[in-house]
Every structure is written in structure tokens, then in C-alpha cells.
Amino acid sequence: MKVPLLSAANWGGQPLHTRGNFEGYVNAGAKDKWLEVHGIEHWTHYYTDYGLEIQKRFFGHYLKGEKTGWDKQPKVYLNIRHPGERFVPRAENEWPLKRTKWTKFFLEPANTLLSPEASDAEGKVSFEALGDGVTFLTRPLEKEMELTGPMAAKLHVASTTEDADLFLIVRIFDPNMKEITFKGALDPHTPVAQGWLRASHRKLDKKKSLPYRPWHSHDEKQPLEPGSVYELDIEIVPSCIVVPQGYRIGLSVRGRDYVFTGDTGGRLSNMKNEFTGVGPFLHDDPRDRPVAIYGGTTTIHFAPGRDNFVLLPVIPKK
């Protein structure tokens, strides 16, 4: 596709729209292409004055030959997200941002810590796949930290069965350990970012994969040998959050969907389920996830040479 492209993404539409927007923008063949990213529901920005003004300038420039100022439009225009649904617009030149400081936060088994320092500690952490999993937390941040961009994780995992589903959730918690969630494209309580991988689909396309973007080929099924340890590279959909000083970053590793535990208040009349953090995109069909296979025990293994970490896109201030 070589026609001019304007991709309007939403930080909170992770299970569907967000991934498509970023992948479409990065891989489009168009020379003239732009990326805009907003928050909250799609309609709050895209269908009101803010979004209509951007669209009219884009279409006026290319379809009507009008002088709309689009020739000065930054290639990437991000609404940087802060807790409390506060957004600060910022112009950028590319995606992912060139100044990104790709930072590994390592999982530690003894105290379920998420640490910027690697550890040689041996151990393992197990969880029931259909339970709430395990959450690894940083210490309170000494200073504000912006995370903007794609993310990825590497885990060394064993299962008691021939397969396992991994659900990874990047979260933030305030100093009182209250989780901070955000309005999503549909769901009123979405976490910062989410990623998914079925262990039997762990095979990577080596030519397409990047450190921050594992690319799974999905061209064959590779069942697990129960008890054997496998290295899994897991994509986490791009997101954005400025984490305040004193807050903690968390990574939850689960075998089922994220569930917001408070009063959700989220439901649409044409959708069967109450929204609990992932909108209508649930992974609970027993035909696809029989308990005999996906209801086992999953174990993360730790040892020298088996680093388990999440790669986060830390953005230094300009």
C-alpha cells in the first residue's frame, strides 16, 4: 500500500485495535505515513473536535489540495498518558522512538521482585494455570519513569501438561498498593499493557523478530514435554504510561485473562460478558482451552543462564 496513511491508535485497545495500528504503521509501504495515538475510548478523541480536526487536515491536503498545514504535521503525534486519565500531547519523528532506553527488569524468585539488576539466584515459582498467577513488583520508583513503546518478555517455563497459555500484564500500583487502571477502547478498567502466548506456538521467525518485538511464525504446533523447561519470548502490545515517583511497576504472569477485581460497571447490551479488563476479548472457550491441557501447573525456572525478564521502553526526557 503506497497511498498516504494516517493511523489513529488507542493506548487502551490492546487486545485488538492497538496492535493492528502500530503494526500497520510500521510495516506500511507508504512513504507518506503518520501515526496518532490517543487514550480513553475511541470516540472521545477520534470522533470529536480533536480527531475531526486532524482528519480534515489530512483529507483536505490529499483529496482537495487545500493548504491545511499538513505538510508540517509531525510523523508521530502521541498523547502521553499519566495516571488519572491525563494526557500531554507530544510530537515525535518515528516509532518506536529512537531515544528509547530499552531496559530489562529481571524477575527474582525469592521475593517476587522485579529488579533492574540480574541475579544468579536459583529457584522456581509455580502457579495454578487457571488461578491468579504470580505478580513481580519493582521497589517504589525513586523518580518518575516514562514507558512508551512496544514491550517483550523472556521466560523459562515448564508445565505439568503438554501445553500452557501465558498471559502477561504490565501494571502500576500507587504507594498504597492500589492498582491504577485506565479507560480502554471499550473496557473502563484496563491495565497498562498485555501480552499473550500459547507455549506450543513459541517458534520464532528469526528474520522478523526484534528484541522488543518477538515474531511468532504460527506455522507448527510444538507440544511440551511435561516437566521440561522451555524458553519463551512473549510479545507485549505497545503502550504508554508515565509512572510517578513512589509508584511500583508490576508484571503479572498468569494462565488466564486479567481480571479487574473492583466494581467494573462495564457492559454493552450487544455483548454477553461484563467487562473485567480485557473488554469482550475473553480466552475462556473450553473447546479451545480444555482443562486437562490448560488447567495444569505452570512453573517459571530460575538459574544462571536462564534470565527471566521483561524488556521495557524507558523514555529519557528530551
Side-chain angles (χ1 to χ4, degrees):
M1 183 176 69
K2 296 184 178 180
V3 297
L5 169 70
L6 169 60
S7 181
N10 180 297
W11 297 124
Q14 297 151 1
L16 180 64
H17 299 292
T18 306
R19 185 177 189 270
N21 278 111
F22 287 107
E23 290 296 326
Y25 173 77
V26 170
N27 293 294
K31 181 183 70 173
D32 298 333
K33 58 182 181 178
W34 287 264
L35 174 68
E36 180 275 337
V37 193
H38 52 269
I40 317 182
E41 310 93 345
H42 284 306
W43 51 84
T44 301
H45 288 100
Y46 190 70
Y47 296 115
T48 52
D49 290 346
Y50 163 85
L52 291 176
E53 189 272 339
I54 292 175
Q55 295 170 65
K56 286 180 178 179
R57 286 196 295 114
F58 174 74
F59 288 118
H61 177 82
Y62 281 108
L63 300 182
K64 296 183 178 181
E66 297 174 348
K67 293 183 179 181
T68 65
W70 191 258
D71 56 325
K72 298 181 176 63
Q73 176 72 16
K75 290 294 185 181
V76 175
Y77 191 73
L78 308 177
N79 284 276
I80 303 300
R81 185 167 63 174
H82 296 249
E85 308 297 347
R86 183 169 69 90
F87 297 88
V88 179
R90 190 173 74 206
E92 296 287 352
N93 298 317
E94 70 286 308
W95 182 268
L97 308 186
K98 283 186 178 179
R99 68 181 184 282
T100 301
K101 184 180 178 182
W102 300 103
T103 304
K104 293 178 180 178
F105 280 80
F106 297 87
L107 285 61
E108 293 188 7
N111 48 13
T112 58
L113 184 69
L114 204 55
S115 172
E117 304 297 331
S119 171
D120 288 334
E122 295 191 20
K124 55 186 178 181
V125 175
S126 298
F127 59 89
E128 295 302 314
L130 298 183
D132 292 330
V134 58
T135 298
F136 297 82
L137 289 168
T138 65
R139 294 186 172 92
L141 297 185
E142 295 181 358
K143 59 182 180 179
E144 179 181 274
M145 180 183 293
E146 178 186 334
L147 307 177
T148 299
M151 310 177 197
K154 184 183 290 291
L155 299 178
H156 294 83
V157 169
S159 173
T160 57
T161 68
E162 65 186 61
D163 212 341
D165 283 343
L166 278 298
F167 296 72
L168 270 57
I169 302 97
V170 177
R171 310 162 74 180
I172 63 169
F173 298 85
D174 73 10
N176 296 318
M177 283 305 296
K178 177 185 177 183
E179 183 177 11
I180 306 300
T181 58
F182 304 88
K183 291 183 180 179
L186 290 176
D187 199 305
H189 298 285
T190 63
V192 173
Q194 302 182 65
W196 305 264
L197 180 67
R198 176 158 286 182
S200 61
H201 283 242
R202 63 191 177 277
K203 180 182 174 183
L204 293 173
D205 185 320
K206 299 292 187 180
K207 292 183 178 180
K208 292 184 177 181
S209 289
L210 297 166
Y212 58 80
R213 172 59 170 98
W215 195 289
H216 298 93
S217 56
H218 297 296
D219 59 1
E220 66 173 306
K221 184 177 180 180
Q222 298 178 328
L224 309 182
E225 180 68 31
S228 295
V229 180
Y230 297 87
E231 181 178 294
L232 307 181
D233 292 279
I234 304 170
E235 172 194 7
I236 300 174
V237 177
S239 191
C240 170
I241 182 60
V242 177
V243 187
Q245 179 183 3
Y247 281 47
R248 298 173 189 256
I249 300 170
L251 178 72
S252 292
V253 183
R254 303 161 59 93
R256 63 172 182 148
D257 287 306
Y258 167 86
V259 177
F260 175 71
T261 56
D263 181 19
T264 67
R267 184 185 291 272
L268 293 179
S269 60
N270 62 336
M271 296 183 182
K272 65 180 182 178
N273 64 288
E274 181 178 0
F275 296 159
T276 56
V278 294
F281 306 108
L282 298 177
H283 302 80
D284 61 356
D285 191 324
R287 295 170 298 179
D288 178 60
R289 304 191 72 219
V291 173
I293 297 176
Y294 299 98
T297 299
T298 305
T299 300
I300 306 172
H301 286 257
F302 300 81
R306 282 183 176 170
D307 286 338
N308 297 279
F309 61 84
V310 58
L311 183 68
L312 297 181
V314 178
I315 307 300
K317 292 185 178 180
K318 288 185 176 180

